[in-house]
Amino acid sequence: MEIRHKEALAWIEEMASLCEPDEVVFCDGSLEEKRRLEEECFKTGELIELNQEKLPGCALHRTARNDVARTEHLTFICTRNPHDAGPTNNWMDPQEAYSKVGGMFKGSMRGRTMYVVPFLMGTPGSPFTKIGIELTDSKYVVLNMRIMTRMGDVAARELGTDRTFTKCLHGKGELDIERRFILHFPEDNTIWSYGSGYGGNVLLGKKCLSLRIASYLGLLEGWMAEHMLIVGVETPDGEVHYICGAFPSACGKTNLAMLVPPKSMSGYKVWTVGDDIAWLRIGPDGRLWAVNPESGFFGVAPYTSYKTNPNAMETIKKNTIFTNVLLTPDKTVWWEGMDVDPPAEGIDWKGEPWTPQSGEPGAHPNARFTAPAAQCPSISPHWEDPQGVPISAILFGGRRARLAPLVYEAFNWQHGTFVGATMASETTAAQSGAVGVVRRDPMAMLPFCGYNMARYFRHWLDMGSRIPNPPKIFHVNWFRKDPDGRFLWPGYGENLRALDWIIRRCKNEADAQETPIGLIPTKNSLNLEGLSISDEDLDQLLEVKADPWVEELESMQKFFDQFGYDLPEELVEEQQALKNRLGEWKA
Ligand code: GTP
Ligand code: SPV
Ligand code: MN
């Protein structure tokens, strides 16, 4: 299947004459092509072939040491007017960006091959699917895109002669952090990424297209692109309720999407629809419907184990690319928290000899696996439905060692938008920079919103008034700790207990207690059968005290201040209402 789209062909030629590759190769997405690229990578060391008996179809990749996570400070929204990027995004003038980074791309692919990767975000034939073409000089990117998107002939066919597509240009450059830029041009439907070889910076269908560009398209077209997992929970009566959850990077989306019910809740089944991105639209029935535009998982490896996430462990047994994990002597993989004894020796993520006594992690804390979603034992039979699945509840959540209770319900959509807009989380290894610092991360979209975040809040409020049967909105926190740093909540599979309360709230079948921040479970409305948790821990997990929340209000205020008059009035009202309720709260 050739590309027959004149505008696409002209653009590819233009970019090729800018980057000057020795060769331009069109990718078809075939198995033969995958094998050929892998063989080439094994020769150069770009990939290491793993033990094909134990891990068939699997390979290991190590990134440059300075290139192990998304670099938010090098990520830009390039709009003519800086106000359109807003105060929470880095901004660059489009002309300046094209010329500055164009200068870096100039001749940067000499001696290299430029791969042309047509890809779909969404399923072929769906009216909601978006098309992209990524030009890249990285075989690792091609092989990952093959898992994460529907790529090659299937996308070229969809592109036809006249469909709209996102122009994505990626070059590894020198992998020099001083010459690294991730640029988005929403007004031109264009993405340029230079100087990186790491996941979210270079798999341009993922965060760049499906969140930053798509959030902008959603604003224009009346839908939402969100950093959300999608999971179906089948209750013992056989009904399936779909839930979306926005948690910041490395805060538990993949784990919740693949949850395995605890033994004492064996009547429940959990179905995985998506683990990172949801595109939400109002369906003909007046409900909100969600599509997962991806076709694979780019998941965090450390602490993934048969105890914490058995479905992920089963998913990554074959056809998986591991990035920055430890290589064992028998050519398998290991990482911290895998719940398997470490090998006596191995090669760490930096490519150095390693032993358990090294005193350094063998896998990078943001080590990842790339695996086809279809291999997941809990994958939903509806995960590729073109119209998606109907959503009963939206969750916001993050890592908060203190303050945020296990679960609470917003009073309504507007209040829920406020809860999302004011959420905060401790930073993780998924982005470069300090780990464990609490930062505001509205709707887990702070690094991913392709336009002014105040306008994004407005869009949330507008959508709410347009959805006849909106989902209920909740806030969850699996990460509360006691003063000694011990998690108060067991997490993982036991999180189903919170989901169960949420589903029963959606059906008006569970009790709640009203507090200033929202509706909290009464102790006996939670299903805790078979869970050993002390009364004191449970009390702490559900407590709402006025003083720390008043402090929190101040930090919310600081965050809101940067939006000035753009901040929707409704959010100011919600903040005032919370303040008033806290003033009257005795706890
Ligand atoms: P991104 O892919 O970066 O967007 O991350 P994610 O939101 O999908 O996070 P993921 O599910 O990969 O979890 C990140 C880390 O948090 C892993 O090390 C998990 O083991 C850990 N984690 C996930 N859920 C829980 C939980 O309920 N409790 C605790 N204590 N840790 C959890
Ligand atoms: C995240 O950081 O939220 C991820 C990984 O899902 S990356 O694709 O690198 O952005
Ligand atoms: Mn993510």
Side-chain angles (χ1 to χ4, degrees), residues 352-397:
E352 305 276 355
W354 178 94
T355 72
Q357 289 75 44
S358 293
E360 278 185 48
H364 187 275
N366 191 38
R368 298 260 167 179
F369 53 78
T370 321
Q375 290 181 186
C376 181
S378 58
I379 197 75
S380 162
H382 299 292
W383 83 283
E384 298 191 285
D385 284 4
Q387 75 283 8
V389 293
I391 299 304
S392 305
I394 288 177
L395 318 183
F396 294 122

Side-chain angles (χ1 to χ4, degrees), residues 35-335:
R35 299 233 162 96
R36 179 167 44 80
L37 288 173
E38 281 174 346
E39 283 307 321
E40 289 173 27
C41 289
F42 296 152
K43 281 195 197 113
T44 59
E46 191 172 347
L47 285 179
I48 295 162
E49 186 169 34
L50 293 171
N51 184 322
Q52 291 303 296
E53 261 158 48
K54 295 186 172 163
L55 294 166
C58 295
L60 166 69
H61 174 75
R62 297 189 192 109
T63 63
R65 291 183 193 193
N66 71 7
D67 193 24
V68 293
R70 283 181 295 102
T71 39
E72 294 178 3
H73 63 294
L74 304 174
T75 301
F76 290 79
I77 302 297
C78 308
T79 46
R80 272 165 296 180
N81 186 341
H83 183 258
D84 293 337
T88 59
N89 278 313
N90 301 309
W91 175 82
M92 211 189 287
D93 174 74
Q95 286 320 312
E96 185 196 332
Y98 283 131
S99 97
K100 177 172 181 167
V101 180
M104 298 182 183
F105 272 114
K106 180 88 200 108
S108 66
M109 295 189 190
R110 273 179 221 157
R112 299 180 186 181
T113 301
M114 174 190 270
Y115 296 93
V116 179
V117 184
F119 64 93
L120 303 178
M121 299 316 299
T123 51
S126 163
F128 306 136
T129 291
K130 299 289 180 199
I131 306 171
I133 303 178
E134 178 160 353
L135 309 178
T136 177
D137 58 4
S138 162
K139 298 178 183 64
Y140 168 77
V141 166
V142 178
L143 290 166
N144 274 271
M145 288 294 281
R146 194 175 181 281
I147 298 173
M148 296 305 295
T149 74
R150 292 154 181 101
M151 122 357 187
D153 284 354
V154 62
R157 202 169 298 124
E158 201 89 350
L159 181 70
T161 55
D162 59 356
R163 288 280 302 272
T164 301
F165 67 99
T166 305
K167 302 181 177 88
C168 308
L169 175 64
H170 165 249
K172 288 183 287 192
E174 306 82 5
L175 298 176
D176 174 356
I177 196 155
E178 301 299 327
R179 283 165 61 82
R180 181 173 300 160
F181 287 97
I182 323 298
L183 307 173
H184 304 74
F185 304 88
E187 290 152 0
D188 303 340
N189 204 356
T190 295
I191 302 161
W192 276 18
S193 164
Y194 187 85
S196 173
Y198 167 77
N201 284 344
V202 301
L203 308 179
L204 301 185
K206 195 176 179 55
K207 295 312 196 322
C208 301
L209 193 164
S210 293
L211 289 178
R212 298 195 190 95
I213 295 290
S215 62
Y216 174 77
L217 295 174
L219 174 70
L220 301 182
E221 298 168 4
W223 54 280
M224 306 159 94
E226 299 295 335
H227 190 203
M228 289 179 178
L229 71 105
I230 312 166
V231 67
V233 178
E234 185 172 333
T235 47
D237 56 14
E239 274 181 47
V240 183
H241 304 266
Y242 294 96
I243 296 174
C244 280
F247 310 157
S249 302
C251 290
K253 288 182 300 302
T254 301
N255 278 267
L256 195 69
M258 298 182 187
L259 182 151
V260 174
K263 282 217 173 62
S264 51
M265 293 179 81
S266 59
Y268 292 74
K269 260 193 201 145
V270 172
W271 300 105
T272 307
V273 179
D275 82 326
D276 198 49
I277 295 174
W279 286 355
L280 306 168
R281 285 185 184 75
I282 304 169
D285 62 351
R287 301 181 70 188
L288 198 60
W289 289 67
V291 162
N292 166 17
E294 301 189 280
S295 61
F297 307 124
F298 185 60
V300 174
Y303 295 91
T304 302
S305 73
Y306 273 99
K307 267 199 198 136
T308 58
N309 192 348
N311 281 321
M313 294 300 282
E314 286 295 315
T315 306
I316 61 180
K317 277 168 124 172
K318 56 181 184 187
N319 307 323
T320 296
I321 301 171
F322 296 92
T323 301
N324 292 341
V325 300
L326 182 94
L327 179 66
T328 71
D330 69 342
K331 293 263 162 89
T332 63
V333 291
W334 184 87
W335 48 79

